[in-house]
C-alpha cells in the first residue's frame, strides 16, 4: 500500500462541482512533435470536469481506493503547521500542480523519509529542489506537453488584450456602465504590422509563433539554440543572438524561457529601458524572470504600455503584491496551463505515471525529470546542457516555507 499526498488548489467559492459551460471537450489525438497523449489503462472522470481542485482529486480516488492505497488531498500547503507538511513524513508520493505549488525544498525533502516519487501534474518542476531529490534517489516526473498548447493560446489572448486595450474597454461597459469609446480607444492599436518577439522557442514558443504568423506581424525570437532553417523560413522568423538585440527591436514580447540563473531577473530597469517606449510584455513562463518592481516602474513611466501574465511569485501572491494594482496590467491567477481541457490531459498523465510506479514498471522517458539520482528523460534533454541542475533563485519565503527552487535549463527538443 502506498500513501499518495496531493496538493491541489481550493474548490470554487460557490462549491463543487461548478456549473459547466459546455457538455464536452474536443478530443485531442496527437501532439505537434509526435509524442503520444497520456495512456493510462482507464480514467474515472469525464474529460471537461474540474479535476485540479481539491474535490476533483485529479480523478484518482476510485483507482487508488481500489488498489488499497491511501490518497490524502489538501490545499493547505504553506507553513510548518500545514496539512502538507504534517502528512509529508509518511507520504510515498507527492503530487502538485505549478498553479498551486507544493513547494518541496531541501528541508521538506529531508522530512519526507518515505518519499519515492514527486509528480508535477502539469509542466515545470521548479518548485522542487531537484538536487535534494537526486541525493535522495527520489523520482521526479511531469506530464510533458499536456498544457503547452493551452499556454500558447493564452499568450495569444494576452497579447491581443494588451494591444487592443481590452480590459479597460470591458470595464467601461461593465463596472462603469458607460459607453466611453474615446477613453477605450485612446490606448488601442492593431497588432498587424507590429514586431513581436518570443523569448525561447521551445514547445510553447514555437506553438505561439505558428499561431502569431497569420496575424501579419514581424516575428523575432531569441533562444540559446537556433531553430532549423526551414522553420525560420516558413514562419518568417528573425533570429537574434542576444535578448538585448531582440528587446530593442520589438513592440511586443512574449516570454517562454525557463527560470534559470541566466534568466532570473533578466528584465530589470536596464533591459526594460532598452526596449521601445510603449512596449508590451506578456509573461506566462515564470514571474522571477522579471525584476518585480522594475516592471511596476516601467508601467508608471510609460516605458511599458502594458504587462500581462499569469505567473507570480510566490504563489499565491500576497494581497498587496504590486502587480495586482499596477497600471495597464492584464494579470490573472496562474491559469493558462490548467484549462479544463489541459486538466483532462494532465490528470490522465498523472494516472499513467502512478500506474507505472505502483506496478514497478518504467515511467515513460519523456515524463522523467529526475530518476536514479540524476536528471533523466526530458529532464536530461531539456533541463540542462551539462547534465546537472543548477541552483535557483530568490529562495523567497512563502508563508514561512522557503521555496528553495532549482532552476534548470531546458533545451530545444
Ligand atoms: P521547453 O523545454 O520546450 O522550451 C524551453 C526553451 O527555452 C528551449 O528552447 C531552451 O533552449 C530555451 N532556453 C533555455 N534557457 C534559455 C536562455 N537562458 N535564453 C534563451 N532561451 C533559453 O519548455 P516549454 O514547454 O516551452 O515551457 C517553457 C516554460 O513555460 C517552462 O519553463 C515553464 O516554466 C513555463 N510553463 C508555464 C505554464 C503556465 O501554466 N503558465 C505551463 C507550462 C510551462
Amino acid at each position: 500500500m502506498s500513501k499518495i499526498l496531493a496538493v491541489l488548489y481550493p474548490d470554487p467559492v460557490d462549491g463543487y462541482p461548478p456549473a459547466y459551460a459546455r457538455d464536452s471537450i474536443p478530443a485531442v489525438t496527437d501532439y505537434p512533435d509526435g509524442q503520444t497523449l497520456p495512456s493510462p489503462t482507464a480514467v474515472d472522470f469525464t474529460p471537461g470536469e474540474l479535476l485540479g481542485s481539491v474535490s476533483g482529486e485529479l480523478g484518482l480516488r476510485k483507482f487508488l481506493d481500489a488498489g488499497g492505497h491511501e490518497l490524502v488531498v489538501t490545499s493547505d500547503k504553506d507553513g510548518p503547521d500545514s496539512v502538507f507538511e504534517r502528512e509529508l513524513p509518511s507520504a510515498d508520493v507527492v503530487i502538485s500542480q505549478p498553479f498551486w505549488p507544493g513547494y518541496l525544498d531541501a528541508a521538506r525533502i529531508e522530512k519526507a523519509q518515505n518519499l519515492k516519487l514527486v509528480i508535477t501534474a502539469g509542466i515545470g518542476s521548479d518548485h522542487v529542489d531537484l538536487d535534494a531529490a537526486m541525493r535522495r534517489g527520489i523520482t521526479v516526473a511531469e506530464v510533458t506537453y499536456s498544457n503547452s498548447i493551452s499556454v500558447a493560446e493564452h499568450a495569444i489572448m494576452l497579447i491581443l488584450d494588451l494591444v487592443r486595450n481590452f480590459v479597460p474597454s470591458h470595464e467601461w461597459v461593465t463596472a462603469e456602465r458607460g459607453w466611453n469609446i474615446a477613453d477605450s480607444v485612446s490606448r488601442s492599436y492593431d497588432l498587424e504590422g507590429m514586431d513581436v518577439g518570443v523569448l525561447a522557442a521551445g514547445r510553447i514558443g514555437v506553438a505561439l509563433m505558428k499561431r502569431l504568423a497569420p496575424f501579419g506581424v514581424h516575428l523575432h525570437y531569441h533562444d540559446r539554440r537556433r531553430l532549423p532553417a526551414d522553420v525560420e523560413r516558413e514562419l518568417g522568423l528573425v533570429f537574434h543572438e542576444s535578448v538585448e538585440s531582440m528587446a530593442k527591436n520589438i513592440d511586443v514580447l512574449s516570454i517562454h524561457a525557463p527560470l534559470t540563473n541566466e534568466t532570473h531577473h533578466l528584465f530589470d530597469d536596464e533591459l526594460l529601458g532598452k526596449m521601445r517606449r510603449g512596449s508590451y510584455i506578456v509573461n506566462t513562463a515564470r514571474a522571477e524572470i522579471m525584476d518585480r518592481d522594475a516592471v511596476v516602474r516601467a508601467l508608471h513611466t510609460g516605458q511599458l504600455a502594458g504587462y500581462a501574465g499569469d505567473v507570480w511569485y510566490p504563489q499565491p501572491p500576497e494581497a498587496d503584491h504590486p502587480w495586482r494594482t499596477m497600471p495597464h496590467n492584464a494579470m490573472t491567477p496562474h491559469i493558462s496551463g490548467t484549462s479544463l481541457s489541459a486538466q483532462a490531459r494532465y490528470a490522465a498523465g498523472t494516472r499513467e505515471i502512478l500506474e507505472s510506479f505502483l506496478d514497478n514498471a518504467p515511467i515513460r522517458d519523456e515524463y522523467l525529470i529526475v530518476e536514479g539520482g540524476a536528471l533523466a528523460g526530458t529532464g536530461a534533454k531539456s533541463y540542462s546542457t551539462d547534465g546537472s541542475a543548477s541552483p535557483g533563485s530568490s529562495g523567497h519565503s512563502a508563508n514561512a516555507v522557503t521555496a528553495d527552487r532549482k532552476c534548470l535549463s531546458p533545451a530545444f527538443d
Side-chain angles (χ1 to χ4, degrees):
M1 192 202 91
S2 290
K3 173 169 172 173
I4 289 93
L5 175 56
V7 177
L8 303 180
Y9 45 78
D11 283 341
V13 289
D14 290 334
Y16 187 96
Y20 294 108
R22 297 180 55 79
D23 301 325
S24 64
I25 59 171
V28 172
T29 52
D30 46 28
Y31 292 130
D33 70 349
Q35 183 188 313
T36 56
L37 269 88
S39 51
T41 54
V43 294
D44 299 313
F45 59 82
T46 304
E49 287 176 348
L50 178 61
L51 303 166
S53 75
V54 168
S55 294
E57 299 182 320
L58 290 172
L60 295 170
R61 173 70 62 189
K62 192 173 160 195
F63 157 66
L64 290 172
D65 282 356
H69 304 289
E70 184 188 359
L71 174 64
V72 176
V73 182
T74 183
S75 62
D76 182 15
K77 70 185 182 71
D78 294 321
D81 298 326
S82 61
V83 174
F84 182 36
E85 194 138 339
R86 281 207 310 271
E87 298 284 345
L88 196 53
S90 52
D92 298 282
V93 180
V94 165
I95 303 171
S96 88
Q97 302 159 104
F99 325 104
W100 189 260
Y103 293 115
L104 269 175
D105 62 2
R108 278 184 164 177
I109 286 179
E110 180 56 30
K111 284 182 192 161
Q113 281 301 315
N114 277 359
L115 191 60
K116 298 162 192 73
L117 172 66
V118 177
I119 303 176
T120 300
I123 298 171
S125 300
D126 50 287
H127 56 286
V128 182
D129 184 326
L130 296 175
D131 283 333
M134 285 186 230
R135 282 196 298 274
R136 280 275 313 282
I138 294 166
T139 298
V140 180
E142 57 185 52
V143 192
T144 306
Y145 236 130
S146 58
N147 59 15
S148 306
I149 304 303
S150 321
V151 177
E153 288 188 3
H154 201 87
I156 291 274
M157 174 185 78
L158 293 179
I159 291 169
L160 290 168
D161 275 355
L162 289 183
V163 173
R164 303 206 57 96
N165 205 36
F166 175 79
V167 174
S169 307
H170 178 69
E171 283 169 355
W172 275 117
V173 291
T174 53
E176 303 295 331
R177 307 283 162 142
W179 189 253
N180 299 50
I181 296 170
D183 293 293
S184 300
V185 302
S186 54
R187 292 182 69 89
S188 176
Y189 300 88
D190 289 354
L191 181 61
E192 184 179 29
M194 285 193 175
D195 290 293
V196 181
V198 175
L199 174 56
R203 293 175 181 86
I204 299 170
V206 168
L208 174 66
M209 290 191 285
K210 285 184 178 166
R211 283 156 179 76
L212 278 170
F215 281 92
V217 295
H218 306 292
L219 284 172
H220 303 245
Y221 80 100
H222 167 71
D223 195 295
R224 45 178 207 177
R225 291 179 63 180
R226 198 163 174 173
L227 290 168
D230 59 328
V231 178
E232 287 189 355
R233 237 187 341 268
E234 184 194 328
L235 298 174
L237 307 180
V238 175
F239 173 71
H240 292 264
E241 293 282 354
S242 69
V243 186
E244 287 83 353
S245 160
M246 181 173 74
K248 284 178 187 165
N249 288 291
I250 53 175
D251 305 295
V252 182
L253 171 69
S254 193
I255 300 177
H256 302 288
L259 178 64
T260 67
N261 287 333
E262 286 172 352
T263 61
H264 180 256
H265 285 193
L266 176 62
F267 284 86
D268 54 10
D269 289 305
E270 194 185 341
L271 186 54
L272 291 171
K274 290 180 180 167
M275 298 181 78
R276 293 176 181 163
R277 193 189 79 83
S279 291
Y280 304 92
I281 294 183
V282 165
N283 181 9
T284 53
R286 286 294 181 261
E288 288 173 286
I289 294 173
M290 316 306 295
D291 173 334
R292 185 192 74 171
D293 296 335
V295 170
V296 179
R297 284 190 287 273
L299 287 165
H300 278 288
T301 62
Q303 176 60 15
L304 285 182
Y307 182 92
D310 69 333
V311 285
W312 304 68
Y313 194 74
Q315 288 188 173
E318 50 275 25
D320 61 353
H321 191 294
W323 287 6
R324 293 185 189 269
T325 49
M326 63 190 178
H328 313 304
N329 86 76
M331 295 300 296
T332 66
H334 193 164
I335 57 166
S336 61
T338 184
S339 59
L340 296 176
S341 320
Q343 288 174 45
R345 290 188 292 274
Y346 68 66
T350 300
R351 169 138 173 199
E352 181 187 329
I353 293 167
L354 275 175
E355 284 180 359
S356 302
F357 169 77
L358 296 170
D359 289 349
N360 258 327
I363 293 169
R364 257 201 228 207
D365 211 43
E366 59 240 40
Y367 291 162
L368 288 174
I369 303 302
V370 164
E371 192 183 47
L375 290 172
T378 291
K381 259 199 275 177
S382 296
Y383 279 59
S384 172
T385 44
D386 61 3
S388 63
S390 55
S393 54
S394 62
H396 182 106
S397 177
N399 295 336
V401 175
T402 299
D404 182 11
R405 300 142 63 105
K406 291 297 141 186
C407 294
L408 304 169
S409 307
F412 177 69
D413 243 345

